[in-house]
Amino acid sequence: MSMPAENQITGTYAAKSVDVSRLFVASCLALLVTSLTFALRAKIEGVFHDSYGLSREEIGWAFGPAFWGFAVATFVGGAILDQVKTRNVLRIAFVCHLVGLVVLLFARDKTLLFAANVFIGFANGSVEAACNPLVTTLYPHDKTRMLNRFHVWFPGGIVIGGVLSWLLVSQFNLPWQVLAAVLFVPLALYGWLFFGETIPETERVTSGVSYRDMFRHVGAPLTIIALVGFMILAASLPIAIDFNAKATWIVAGLVLVAIVVETLVVNKTSLLFPFTMFCMFLTASTELGTNQFTGALLDKTGLDPIIVLVAVTGIMALGRYFAGPLVHRLSPVGVLFASAVVSALGLYLYSTVSGPGSTLFAAIVFAVGICYFWPTMLGFVSEYAPQTGALGLSIMGGAGMVATSCVLPIMGRSIDTAGPQQTLRFMTVLPLILIVAFALLALYLRNRRSGQRGQN
């Protein structure tokens, strides 16, 4: 695991001897546990379908708490992080990871699988709520690059989990519970590294932005909280959202109006953050939704889905580790636009392939496309909307996960009824929308810079 060169944070925290390297490594290990839970779900999805008799839609519902539980913990954690302190949120993450993994070991039906994912989702969300602001605090002048370095361990963990899955389950024919038990090792390590260590205040606190201003710069905090609550309710019910129903579009329209009114009229701030959150809905669904159903989507291509998952996430890990020069050359928005184009191409290729070679090529294209989505979205908010503080980063992470929790049952139903290829074509719509959204975002930022130069 790469350790940054800095050993002690300077300036405000020098007297407290904050060990930057130790905290960064601990954060990476916590994210590693998070990502290993994703790899584990990708493996046991087939077990619960073939051996325990659950339908794909039931599995999508039982997996949902891993995403909306993540969203709840992230939202709450981001809102209270500065009050309860980062170290306590990390303790909550540790306990919930421990309980969730123990429950998972005993799961055989959708109810226990659902319960295990509630705890795991809360743990993963707490890690995201605490560690993203921690990384930006430790590296205030290198946020996007270090967030990409930190988020190496999400795809990196899936690579590790995929290899372990292939080795322990496929080669040695050990039960999947052995694979789940491996997660206790990095869990114990990140608990040991964090506990007892001095953890600094967040950047929002040290920069003097008030708690009230943090909420105001989110744009529409009340509407966003209500929206996420509604999405969590929808995702927690064993049904998929019906996009053919008029009621769905009426609710969406009302939410859009409420966000605009609360942002522009009540809080008198920019729509930048709500717009970015909308983009996060789509980037996360494109990345996580597809990867969670890798086995079902690629069942008849002749290639082991674990190989595809390892290839995709391995490329993502390498890309994120070396993201610095690319972000510097293209800017965060340029990276996001290019990612949307390539991921759309990758999903389209996925929907047309039939053999192992063409499937692997499509997987590589898709991996390059989704590689920078998550950390660069967070880096964009941290750089262009820093007043939103830990809450802004938490809302972004939570928005991505709750969107994925909603899309999983929809994907499951589509795979059950329309088949994998049609489902992949349906998913291609998401990055196509993102291409337009990021182009508009780039145009807005260019006009804003021009206006600022004109004022000067």
Side-chain angles (χ1 to χ4, degrees), residues 6 49 156 171 188 211 348 382 430:
E6 301 90 336
H49 176 69
Q171 298 302 307
Y211 192 73
Y348 174 75
S382 184
L430 303 185

Side-chain angles (χ1 to χ4, degrees), residues 431-443:
L432 291 176
I433 296 172
L434 284 168
I435 293 172
V436 177
F438 290 136
L440 292 173
L441 186 58
L443 181 62

Side-chain angles (χ1 to χ4, degrees), residues 198-231:
T198 299
I199 299 177
E201 298 279 5
T202 64
E203 185 185 25
R204 193 273 299 174
V205 173
T206 59
S207 62
V209 177
S210 71
Y211 192 73
R212 181 177 180 180
D213 277 346
M214 178 179 71
F215 271 85
R216 187 177 71 84
H217 280 92
V218 166
L222 297 179
T223 306
I224 288 172
I225 291 171
L227 170 62
V228 171
F230 174 80
M231 292 177 70

Side-chain angles (χ1 to χ4, degrees), residues 114-280:
F114 182 94
N117 279 306
V118 169
F119 284 101
I120 291 172
F122 269 79
N124 294 346
S126 298
V127 167
E128 188 85 2
C131 291
N132 282 321
L134 179 59
V135 170
T136 61
T137 299
L138 297 175
Y139 304 97
H141 305 297
D142 207 5
K143 297 175 184 176
T144 300
R145 184 175 74 90
M146 293 311 297
L147 280 169
N148 269 280
R149 286 280 181 94
F150 167 54
H151 281 277
V152 162
W153 294 99
F154 188 83
I158 294 178
V159 171
I160 294 169
V163 171
L164 287 173
S165 171
W166 175 81
L167 185 64
L168 296 176
V169 180
S170 301
Q171 298 302 307
F172 293 160
N173 295 316
L174 297 174
W176 65 265
Q177 289 87 349
V178 175
L179 179 63
V182 171
L183 275 67
F184 289 101
V185 176
L187 173 62
L189 285 174
Y190 93 69
W192 173 70
L193 285 171
F194 270 131
F195 297 160
E197 187 63 30
T198 299
I199 299 177
E201 298 279 5
T202 64
E203 185 185 25
R204 193 273 299 174
V205 173
T206 59
S207 62
V209 177
S210 71
Y211 192 73
R212 181 177 180 180
D213 277 346
M214 178 179 71
F215 271 85
R216 187 177 71 84
H217 280 92
V218 166
L222 297 179
T223 306
I224 288 172
I225 291 171
L227 170 62
V228 171
F230 174 80
M231 292 177 70
I232 289 172
L233 176 63
S236 62
L237 298 174
I239 57 174
I241 297 174
D242 185 4
F243 284 98
N244 294 318
K246 290 182 179 179
T248 301
W249 295 103
I250 291 173
V251 170
L254 291 174
V255 168
L256 179 60
V257 171
I259 286 176
V260 172
V261 170
E262 187 180 359
T263 302
L264 299 182
V265 179
V266 178
N267 289 322
K268 296 181 174 61
T269 187
S270 169
L271 283 167
L272 178 61
F273 184 85
F275 183 82
T276 308
M277 189 194 73
F278 164 76
C279 293
M280 190 68 170

